[in-house]
Amino acid sequence: MDSRPTPWLPALAVLGSVTSLCIGTSFAKKLFPLVGAEGTSALRVGFSALVLLLFWRPWRWPLGRRDAGFVIRYGLTLGVMNLLFYMALRTIPFGLAVAIEFSGPLAVAMLSSRRAVDFVWLASAIAGLAMLLPLGQHAALDPTGVMFALGAAVCWALYILFGKQAGHLHAGHSVSLGLVAASVVVVPVGIAKAGASLLDPGILAAGVGIAIVSSAIPMSLEMMALKRLPSQTFGIMVSLEPAVASLLAMLLLGEMLTAHQWLAIGFIVLASVGSTITARRARPEAPELAG
């Protein structure tokens, strides 16, 4: 009800969430030469868990054994997804990694509807991915980086499914504990890769900033928006993430894309927006989980 009088406020919150996430990830990539993708991922996930633990204090809520299993699966998948995505960023542009990763939630959305029009969105997604994957003579993307991004896409799909299993829990409860589980995966890998470099005060400060900008702020804005914005509108705006990531990576990292790559991103965004619209019309609204 309260989303109708001022729909632009929650819409701006979603846009702010996507923008904050992309800015944080762009700056995180600048740490790769110092602590590697693994170390940077450990800083982001580890400090995000600490920030959200202190903010939400999840120990205030009871957690049954069954729900604990849901949260652990959700968190472990989140951790692997973050690690694989950062590994992909070592060799392929940020915007293209996001576009490829979007194939995960797109697959989940496609499976939620059986209407004929969904084949249009499926064809659009396949066309976009085919233009990005290193399949032909015009391929310019590193195959290893693409495989990491595809792995992150699979994890994002599982993250959505596992997240829905824990959807009855308070968002702050499941997200904060989920990030703790994610830390169990990511932090040891980061320590093994970066070692004592992670203890440098400048690196630690940068890690806290990245965690806040790329995790704490986006998650808080998304939770605010989901309470006031129809799920369909939320999903459409989140679908802009590949384009926003590409624009910010161009401005902050100097990653210039070709017209061919921009067209591929356009196909994937079109597929995501279209599938969001038709999926929501075909079934009752359900909470959306962002990756």
Side-chain angles (χ1 to χ4, degrees):
M1 292 179 62
D2 56 351
S3 63
R4 291 179 179 268
T6 55
W8 55 272
L9 282 175
L12 284 177
V14 179
L15 183 59
S17 170
V18 171
T19 302
S20 182
L21 172 63
C22 293
I23 289 174
T25 304
S26 295
F27 281 113
K29 191 169 181 177
K30 294 184 176 183
L31 288 182
F32 284 11
L34 301 175
V35 293
E38 301 93 334
T40 306
S41 182
L43 288 170
R44 176 194 172 180
V45 174
F47 280 122
S48 294
L50 287 175
V51 169
L52 290 181
L53 277 176
L54 292 174
F55 184 80
W56 288 110
R57 292 171 291 163
W59 51 84
R60 296 178 298 164
W61 295 290
L63 186 69
R65 180 177 298 179
R66 185 167 179 267
D67 287 342
F70 292 153
V71 171
I72 290 172
R73 285 195 292 271
Y74 158 79
L76 293 179
T77 306
L78 175 62
V80 176
M81 179 181 73
N82 273 273
L83 183 58
L84 291 177
F85 182 72
Y86 272 44
M87 296 290 283
L89 290 182
R90 295 180 306 171
T91 55
I92 64 177
F94 176 30
L96 300 186
V98 172
I100 294 171
E101 190 189 29
F102 249 69
S103 61
L106 267 174
V108 174
M110 296 295 178
L111 292 173
S112 70
S113 182
R114 298 291 185 272
R115 307 202 325 168
V117 69
D118 291 319
F119 288 100
V120 175
W121 315 132
L122 178 61
S124 180
I126 291 174
L129 285 172
M131 294 171 71
L132 293 179
L133 299 182
L135 301 174
Q137 60 180 351
H138 300 294
L141 294 184
D142 171 62
T144 302
V146 170
M147 291 304 298
F148 278 125
L150 288 173
V154 173
C155 289
W156 196 349
L158 293 174
Y159 163 84
I160 292 172
L161 298 176
F162 293 151
K164 286 181 178 179
Q165 291 180 335
H168 59 284
L169 300 175
H170 185 280
H173 192 194
S174 58
V175 170
S176 56
L177 292 180
L179 277 167
V180 172
S183 300
V184 173
V185 175
V186 179
V187 173
V189 175
I191 292 174
K193 172 65 178 180
S197 299
L198 293 175
L199 299 178
D200 180 90
I203 297 294
L204 289 174
V208 172
I210 289 169
I212 292 173
V213 175
S214 62
S215 293
I217 292 176
M219 287 179 176
S220 300
L221 289 174
E222 283 181 8
M223 284 189 283
M224 185 273 282
L226 276 170
K227 294 179 181 179
R228 299 169 174 82
L229 202 64
S231 294
Q232 177 177 310
T233 307
F234 179 87
I236 290 171
M237 297 200 67
V238 170
S239 299
L240 299 176
E241 186 175 335
V244 174
S246 298
L247 286 171
L248 288 173
M250 181 175 63
L251 295 173
L252 299 176
L253 299 172
E255 294 181 347
M256 308 300 293
L257 303 183
T258 65
H260 180 86
Q261 291 169 334
W262 276 110
L263 181 60
I265 289 174
F267 275 124
I268 292 171
V269 169
L270 175 64
S272 185
V273 170
S275 65
T276 298
I277 294 172
T278 54
R280 292 295 171 248
R281 287 178 178 173
R283 60 190 295 181
E285 286 188 0
E288 191 83 27
L289 290 171

